[in-house]
């Protein structure tokens, strides 16, 4: 079992930045991939970025490529998402996720078994 707790959300103006954190506990040494997803009101949850915990290899959704950066601190057992050049369309609840298995798709929520409660990001124009 892995427990995940997100923090760092907030309200910013367009063009601003935020850094989200996800603190992991439990059997963290067993995780293979960690990721960030987001869900805007009335929309389906979508993948934002993922990282393979053993190699640090990353993958980003096209909508955030070049603006968001996923990273990890294995000593602190914390996952980060740096959000730069924020746009109003980035407004959503952001969720941290983890899996001990292998991915069937590039970045789909069905591959991830462990989820945090989410942290809200609101971007005003």
């Amino acid at each position: 079992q892995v427990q995940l707790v997100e923090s760092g959300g907030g309200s910013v103006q367009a063009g601003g930045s935020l850094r989200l954190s996800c603190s992991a506990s439990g059997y963290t040494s067993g995780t293979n991939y960690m990721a960030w997803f987001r869900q805007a009101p009335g929309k389906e949850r979508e993948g934002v970025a993922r990282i393979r915990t053993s190699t640090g290899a990353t993958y980003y959704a096209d909508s955030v490529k070049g603006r968001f950066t996923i990273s990890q601190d294995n000593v602190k057992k914390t996952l980060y998402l740096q959000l730069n050049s924020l746009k109003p369309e980035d407004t959503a609840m952001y969720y941290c996720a983890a899996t001990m298995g292998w991915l069937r798709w590039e970045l789909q929520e069905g591959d991830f078994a462990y989820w945090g409660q989410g942290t809200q990001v609101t971007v005003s124009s």
Side-chain angles (χ1 to χ4, degrees):
Q1 292 281 353
V2 177
Q3 293 79 44
L4 304 170
V5 179
E6 303 94 334
S7 61
S11 297
V12 297
Q13 291 191 326
S17 298
L18 284 172
R19 188 176 81 155
L20 307 183
S21 299
C22 172
S23 179
S25 61
Y27 186 49
T28 58
S29 61
T31 59
N32 198 11
Y33 291 91
M34 295 190 74
W36 289 96
F37 287 77
R38 67 185 181 184
Q39 187 168 21
K43 295 188 176 181
E44 294 186 352
R45 193 176 297 185
E46 64 172 350
V48 175
R50 62 159 166 83
I51 188 167
R52 188 171 177 188
T53 55
S54 61
T55 65
T58 58
Y59 172 88
Y60 295 91
D62 288 342
S63 58
V64 305
K65 201 172 295 183
R67 300 189 298 122
F68 292 6
T69 303
I70 189 171
S71 63
Q72 61 183 355
D73 184 328
N74 290 333
V75 174
K76 294 183 178 179
K77 298 183 181 181
T78 301
L79 181 73
Y80 301 101
L81 186 68
Q82 179 68 40
L83 293 70
N84 295 331
S85 302
L86 281 162
K87 305 175 182 179
E89 51 263 44
D90 294 319
T91 295
M93 184 72 78
Y94 283 71
Y95 298 90
C96 175
T99 182
M100 297 181 185
W102 296 95
L103 303 183
R104 291 168 292 175
W105 301 287
E106 289 289 359
L107 187 55
Q108 297 290 331
E109 62 176 309
D111 277 334
F112 291 84
Y114 304 101
W115 292 84
Q117 295 300 307
T119 186
Q120 177 69 37
V121 172
T122 302
V123 185
S124 58
S125 57

